[in-house]
């Protein structure tokens, strides 16, 4: 008998080797056909007396990345369709049965009466690691790239194929909850120390070790199915349990502010499941899983953080008419903080880098940044000395523009001044081959105007990195008025090489991300001047789902930069373009008190040399009015913080700056941390309902002014009952 996704072989010792190797895919994923194959294979192993046990492994470099989440998306669509056709009760029963099929197959494997061992030859995540946990023995490769983990919570789900129950029976409860809440991947030694795997071995030996365990008399009974099994942390209702659960609940509330139903479901599943025998515990987990699978948070996060991000990373916006570029050498103009970071990520991707600055000392200082980062990785065991030397050898630091002659792409990252950028552009292009794409890393200056200094505006494009470059995953690619398809294709190919996620936007002041971030910070400034305590502003933002409070964020990017942008806006667009209350606050902070942010140790926060930062007490003196904290509506603060950003995102769509809702959503989460539970700025509107969102914006506008006025596009969509993903269907390009 043959299977679509597995090879099945029985050796002379009677051990079956089940090799997961999906045809036409670089990595195994769990879909409906995999579940069906596994179900049949388990029956075959159990019923064949000649088979002593089975080893499951992978024919790919990795074991598996887990479930194909488009399959889970499809379940939701089928539920909606069946609810209309057969009624909600019947639809829910079918939905529940379908959503727990994988869990049932794993339990069948675990209780089939034959020993199963997992030979984990590489990364095993999510549902794939749950398969391993259902096996009676686990051998993991000790290779550097091997990882195991249950990361589902990061996309709004939780392990629904037995993960919450098996992990909580293998580890101390507190450790299990931490693993499930964080969704982090574990290295081989850590996994063994935690008791999640039994043995480590070289990748080429994992199958032999797994077979040896079976032939050595490996048990076909999981520990929790042995009579008298005791949970590692004892009973839930016990003195030890009462030390765990109240604290776990408090930590959950502190970290999530109840924005993530999946995290709460993990808490429920483990708490309730540990009080039950395994079969009932798995049913409890399945019921919570079905509930979360139907949540709007899961739908939004799966769409943005898995489906859309995957499509953008694979080149969904890449022009289909341009052949793949072959980048080998990149020039970086400016060896300051941003330029040094760009040089580092480029060299890390294997590219040769020419790093240019005004003199040799400045260029060398930029290169030293890469040495510092690599030394940090070595100290953490994530790189070797040879890796550092190889990377540094790829970076050629020099003040000589002639060194750019062989570059295939140049990224300009000099000081944010039009004249300085124009001079650097002309100096570089005097030495470049014809047709080389030239990119500017700018966060404020329009690309179309910068392109006037370029030899060929069609080959000029914006590549806007976020700080710090090595940590931030988003890159904003800005199309000038004359930018051509070839420049876009090369930029996307480059961003893909350095393993960042690109979004493509059209040229405008502030582009996309900075316009939304500007509104976020501005709203905090206005709240402060209204008399809202600074601590309430910061806490309300985190409660809304933002990773960093707006005042803290302003400190990080520099308050004097916000002042300069405000003054430039006033100069270019007139005094009516800035809010006098915000201008008054920034003037006081920058010019009267010289509080520039973290960079000079004084901003909205104080930054002592030792100890934690704390809000500057002098902020109260800048408030003409001081509101009573108990009289302030915290929900309204949260609404203002999210709505102001979502409104700006909608305006960018109306203006044609953003043309693909996937990019608005993914860009908002990766670029400025917009409440991930919402799926992003446009998903926040879509899942609330455009009509409801406009009503909320109108309510805020009536109280706080026209900055909350919904644009014409939103009002039109509200009248028609439209959504962004319905009206602006994502554009499909050639996945390069």
């Amino acid at each position: 008998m043959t299977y679509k996704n597995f090879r099945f072989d029985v050796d002379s010792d009677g051990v079956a080797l089940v090799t997961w190797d999906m045809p036409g895919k670089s990595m195994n994923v769990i879909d409906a056909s995999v579940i069906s194959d596994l179900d049949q294979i388990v029956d075959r192993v159990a019923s064949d007396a000649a088979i002593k046990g089975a080893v499951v492994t992978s024919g790919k470099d990795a074991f598996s990345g887990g479930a194909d989440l488009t399959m889970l998306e499809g379940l939701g669509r089928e539920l909606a369709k069946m609810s209309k056709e057969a009624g909600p009760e019947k639809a829910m029963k079918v939905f529940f049965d379908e959503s727990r099929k994988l869990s049932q197959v794993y339990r069948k494997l675990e209780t089939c009466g034959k020993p199963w061992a997992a030979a984990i030859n590489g990364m095993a995540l999510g549902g794939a690691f749950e398969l391993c946990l259902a096996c009676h023995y686990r051998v993991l490769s000790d290779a550097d790239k091997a990882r195991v983990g249950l990361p589902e919570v990061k996309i709004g789900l939780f392990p629904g194929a037995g993960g919450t129950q098996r992990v909580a029976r293998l580890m101390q409860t507190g450790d299990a909850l931490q693993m499930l809440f964080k969704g982090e991947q574990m290295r081989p030694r850590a996994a063994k120390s935690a008791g999640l795997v039994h043995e480590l071995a070289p990748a080429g030996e994992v199958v032999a070790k797994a077979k040896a365990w079976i032939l050595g008399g490996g048990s076909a009974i999981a520990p929790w199915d042995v009579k008298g099994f005791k949970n590692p942390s004892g009973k839930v209702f016990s003195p030890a349990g009462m030390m765990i659960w109240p604290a776990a609940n408090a930590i959950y509330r502190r970290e999530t502010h109840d924005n993530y139903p999946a995290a709460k479901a993990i808490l429920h599943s483990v708490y309730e499941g540990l009080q039950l025998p395994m079969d009932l515990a798995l049913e409890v987990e399945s019921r919570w899983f079905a509930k979360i699978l139907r949540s709007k948070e899961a739908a939004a996060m799966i769409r943005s953080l898995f489906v859309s991000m995957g499509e953008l990373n694979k080149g969904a916006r890449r022009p289909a008419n341009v052949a793949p570029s072959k980048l080998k050498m990149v020039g970086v103009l400016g060896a300051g903080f941003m330029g040094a970071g760009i040089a580092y990520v480029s060299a890390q991707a294997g590219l040769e880098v020419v790093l240019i600055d005004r003199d040799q000392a400045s260029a060398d200082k930029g290169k030293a940044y890469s040495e510092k980062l690599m030394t940090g990785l070595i100290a953490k065991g994530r790189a070797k000395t040879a890796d550092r030397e190889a990377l540094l050898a790829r970076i050629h630091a020099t003040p000589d523009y002639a060194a750019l002659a062989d570059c295939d792409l140049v990224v300009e990252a000099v000081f944010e001044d039009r004249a300085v950028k124009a001079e650097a552009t002309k100096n570089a292009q005097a030495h470049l081959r014809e047709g080389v794409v030239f990119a500017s890393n700018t966060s404020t200056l329009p690309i179309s105007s910068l392109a006037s200094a370029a030899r060929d505006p069609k080959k000029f494009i914006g590549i806007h990195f976020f700080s710090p470059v090595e940590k931030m995953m988003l890159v904003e690619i800005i199309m000038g008025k004359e930018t051509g398809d070839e420049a876009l294709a090369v930029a996307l190919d480059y961003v893909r090489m350095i393993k960042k996620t690109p979004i493509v936007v059209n040229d405008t002041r502030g582009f996309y991300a900075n316009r939304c971030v500007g509104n976020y910070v501005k709203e905090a400034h206005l709240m402060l001047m209204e008399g809202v305590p600074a601590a309430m502003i910061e806490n309300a933002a985190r409660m809304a789902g933002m990773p960093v409070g707006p005042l803290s964020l302003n400190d990080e990017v520099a308050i004097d930069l916000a002042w300069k942008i405000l003054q430039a806006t006033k100069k270019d667009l007139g005094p009516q373009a800035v809010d006098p209350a915000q201008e008054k606050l920034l003037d006081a902070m920058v010019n009267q008190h010289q509080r520039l942010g973290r960079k000079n140790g004084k901003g909205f926060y104080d930054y002592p040399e030792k100890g934690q930062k704390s809000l500057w007490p002098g902020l109260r003196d800048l408030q003409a009015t001081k509101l009573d904290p108990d009289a302030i509506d915290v929900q309204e603060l949260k609404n203002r913080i999210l709505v102001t950003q979502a409104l700006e995102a909608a305006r960018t769509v109306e203006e044609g700056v953003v043309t693909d809702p996937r990019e608005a959503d993914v860009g908002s989460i990766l670029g400025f941390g917009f409440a991930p539970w919402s799926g992003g700025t446009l998903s926040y509107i879509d899942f609330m309902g455009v009509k409801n969102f406009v009503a909320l914006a109108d309510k805020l506008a009536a109280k706080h002014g026209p900055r909350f006025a919904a644009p014409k596009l939103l009002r039109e969509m509200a009248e028609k009952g439209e959504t962004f993903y319905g009206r602006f269907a994502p554009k499909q390009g050639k996945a390069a």
Side-chain angles (χ1 to χ4, degrees):
M1 183 177 181
T2 58
Y3 306 96
K4 180 179 178 181
N5 306 289
F6 295 87
R7 296 193 300 274
F8 188 94
D9 303 289
V10 181
D11 65 17
S12 58
D13 293 319
V15 177
L17 180 62
V18 181
T19 305
W20 190 0
D21 196 359
M22 300 180 80
K25 290 185 180 290
S26 59
M27 181 176 286
N28 295 319
V29 293
I30 298 168
D31 61 16
S33 67
V34 168
I35 297 172
S36 176
D37 279 356
L38 269 176
D39 193 28
Q40 296 175 54
I41 289 169
V42 171
D43 285 341
R44 181 173 175 181
V45 170
S47 62
D48 190 337
I51 296 177
K52 296 176 182 176
V55 172
V56 61
T57 191
S58 167
K60 314 286 188 189
D61 290 337
F63 189 83
S64 167
D68 177 0
L69 295 184
T70 56
M71 171 183 72
L72 300 180
E73 270 200 319
L75 274 178
R77 289 192 294 270
E78 284 300 312
L79 173 65
K81 181 182 177 183
M82 189 175 292
S83 291
K84 291 180 181 178
E85 295 174 354
E89 188 173 338
K90 183 177 180 181
M92 264 311 305
K93 185 179 186 313
V94 173
F95 180 81
F96 176 64
D97 290 342
E98 289 296 314
S99 67
R100 68 181 304 215
K101 272 188 175 179
L102 187 62
S103 180
Q104 289 177 316
V105 170
Y106 288 173
R107 183 57 174 162
K108 182 198 280 191
L109 178 154
E110 189 173 58
T111 58
C112 74
K114 299 283 181 71
W116 279 76
I120 312 167
N121 58 308
M123 180 180 69
L125 302 177
F129 187 48
E130 288 178 291
L131 168 60
C132 300
L133 291 172
C135 291
H136 306 98
Y137 196 74
R138 294 169 288 283
V139 185
L140 173 62
S141 165
D142 60 7
D144 287 342
K145 292 184 178 180
R147 298 286 188 277
V148 297
L150 300 169
E152 288 90 339
V153 73
K154 293 184 175 183
I155 47 160
L157 291 173
F158 76 98
T164 65
Q165 302 311 308
R166 294 186 177 96
V167 164
R169 285 164 173 78
L170 288 169
M171 303 169 71
Q172 294 287 328
T173 302
D175 295 336
L177 288 172
Q178 186 176 42
M179 176 189 173
L180 294 165
F181 280 157
K182 288 186 174 182
E184 293 177 346
Q185 299 176 21
M186 297 180 75
R187 294 170 180 273
R189 291 188 183 281
K192 187 172 186 300
S193 294
L196 295 175
V197 300
H198 298 89
E199 189 176 356
L200 302 180
E205 298 178 18
V206 290
V207 171
K209 296 280 187 183
K211 284 187 174 184
W213 173 81
I214 291 174
L215 294 173
S219 173
I221 304 175
W224 35 86
D225 290 324
V226 176
K227 188 176 181 180
F229 170 76
K230 293 181 179 179
N231 295 323
S233 294
K235 294 181 178 180
V236 169
F237 287 100
S238 67
M242 290 305 102
M243 294 292 288
I244 295 168
W245 289 102
N249 190 54
I251 291 169
Y252 153 76
R253 290 297 298 275
R254 183 190 72 195
E255 296 298 321
T256 70
H257 299 289
D258 267 342
N259 287 320
Y260 296 90
K264 191 171 187 178
I266 287 171
L267 207 60
H268 274 286
S269 294
V270 176
Y271 175 76
E272 294 162 15
L274 285 178
Q275 300 175 61
L276 299 167
M278 183 55 98
D279 288 304
L280 279 176
L282 290 172
E283 185 172 344
V284 166
E285 180 193 74
S286 293
R287 292 194 180 282
W288 279 108
F289 184 69
K291 178 180 174 67
I292 295 306
L293 203 51
R294 291 181 293 122
S295 70
K296 65 180 183 181
E297 290 84 358
M301 291 178 76
I302 289 171
R303 182 170 70 186
S304 293
L305 295 176
F306 179 78
V307 179
S308 294
M309 192 185 299
E311 290 168 350
L312 295 177
N313 285 338
K314 290 175 182 175
R317 291 298 309 278
R318 191 184 190 283
N321 59 324
V322 181
S325 49
K326 298 176 181 178
L327 301 177
K328 294 180 180 178
M329 181 178 289
V330 172
V332 179
L333 310 185
F337 185 61
M338 292 299 291
I342 295 167
Y344 171 73
V345 298
S346 300
Q348 202 174 42
L351 291 163
E352 295 290 320
V353 180
V354 177
L355 181 59
I356 302 278
D357 213 306
R358 61 182 179 273
D359 52 48
Q360 190 64 50
S362 299
D364 287 341
K365 184 178 178 182
K367 181 174 179 177
Y369 184 70
S370 290
E371 183 174 13
K372 177 185 174 184
L373 292 176
M374 287 301 295
T375 300
L377 291 179
I378 292 168
K380 294 175 183 175
R382 297 179 183 175
K384 297 175 182 177
T385 304
D387 298 326
R388 179 179 62 193
E389 301 312 312
L391 182 139
L392 293 174
R394 289 193 289 273
I395 301 176
H396 312 283
T398 177
D400 185 5
Y401 279 86
L404 298 170
D406 293 325
C407 285
D408 305 306
L409 167 70
V410 172
V411 181
E412 168 271 302
V414 301
F415 185 67
E416 198 78 347
D417 179 275
R418 196 181 304 277
V420 175
K421 287 182 178 292
E423 182 183 4
T425 301
K426 289 175 181 176
N427 288 341
Q429 293 201 326
H431 298 279
L432 292 174
R433 302 189 312 273
E434 287 290 330
V436 171
V437 172
F438 196 97
S440 177
N441 172 60
T442 176
S443 57
T444 57
L445 300 174
I447 289 300
S448 300
S449 62
L450 293 179
S452 62
R455 191 163 55 196
D456 182 359
K458 293 193 297 296
K459 299 290 178 65
F460 193 94
I461 195 165
I463 300 182
H464 175 210
F465 287 87
F466 293 78
S467 180
V469 175
E470 67 276 6
K471 291 183 180 178
M472 297 296 286
M473 295 308 300
L474 184 73
V475 174
E476 209 172 20
I477 295 177
I478 304 108
M479 298 287 287
K481 288 179 181 177
E482 296 184 58
T483 303
D485 279 356
E486 186 180 341
L488 174 58
V490 169
L492 286 169
D493 290 346
Y494 168 64
V495 171
R496 187 177 184 185
M497 283 188 74
I498 61 175
K499 295 181 171 60
K500 304 288 185 185
T501 296
I503 63 170
V504 181
V505 303
N506 290 319
D507 200 13
T508 187
R509 175 183 292 271
F511 316 129
Y512 168 66
N514 281 349
R515 282 178 59 168
C516 297
V517 170
N519 272 25
Y520 176 46
V521 173
K522 176 183 176 180
E523 198 60 32
H525 292 164
L526 298 181
M527 287 177 178
L528 193 65
M529 297 307 276
E530 289 169 19
V532 180
M536 282 194 77
I537 298 170
E538 296 289 85
N539 288 333
R542 287 191 289 268
M543 290 168 70
M546 299 300 294
V548 179
L551 301 179
S552 180
L553 178 62
N554 199 173
D555 274 2
E556 295 296 330
V557 299
I559 303 173
D560 59 328
L561 176 60
W563 170 253
K564 289 173 184 174
I565 292 172
L566 195 77
Q567 293 308 302
T569 303
K570 188 176 179 180
K571 180 181 178 182
D572 293 347
L573 303 179
Q576 77 284 350
V578 304
D579 192 296
Q582 184 186 28
E583 186 174 24
K584 182 179 179 182
L585 172 64
L586 292 176
D587 182 34
M589 292 292 289
V590 174
N591 301 318
Q592 297 174 34
H593 297 283
Q594 290 75 53
R595 300 190 71 87
L596 310 182
R598 184 185 277 276
K599 69 180 183 181
N600 79 332
K602 299 184 300 180
F604 289 104
Y605 286 79
D606 284 321
Y607 298 88
E609 287 187 16
K610 295 181 180 179
Q612 292 186 332
K613 69 180 185 182
S614 59
L615 282 161
W616 177 42
L619 291 175
R620 285 180 55 81
D621 298 330
L622 303 181
Q623 294 176 304
T625 303
K626 297 174 181 62
L627 299 178
D628 176 6
D630 292 332
I632 297 172
D633 184 345
V634 175
Q635 184 58 48
E636 184 180 280
L637 296 183
K638 291 162 61 178
N639 288 341
R640 288 172 64 179
I641 283 162
L642 297 182
V643 169
T644 188
Q645 297 177 76
L647 278 170
E648 195 62 22
R651 292 182 191 113
T652 65
V653 174
E654 184 177 60
E655 296 166 19
V657 176
V658 172
T659 59
D660 189 323
R662 295 175 299 184
E663 294 177 310
D665 279 343
V666 172
S668 66
I669 295 174
L670 295 187
F672 50 95
F674 185 85
W677 60 264
S678 70
T681 47
L682 299 186
S683 283
Y684 173 70
I685 298 173
D686 272 3
F687 280 97
M688 183 186 296
V690 179
K691 187 175 182 179
N692 292 333
F693 179 83
V694 169
L696 176 57
D698 285 344
K699 183 179 177 182
L700 292 172
K703 185 173 181 180
H704 298 288
R707 67 182 181 275
F708 284 105
K712 181 182 176 182
L713 171 65
L714 279 180
R715 295 192 181 281
E716 184 182 303
M717 290 172 64
E719 287 177 11
K720 296 180 178 179
E722 293 178 324
T723 64
F724 281 98
Y725 279 81
R727 177 163 175 160
F728 301 95
K731 294 181 180 179
Q732 298 294 334
K734 178 182 177 182

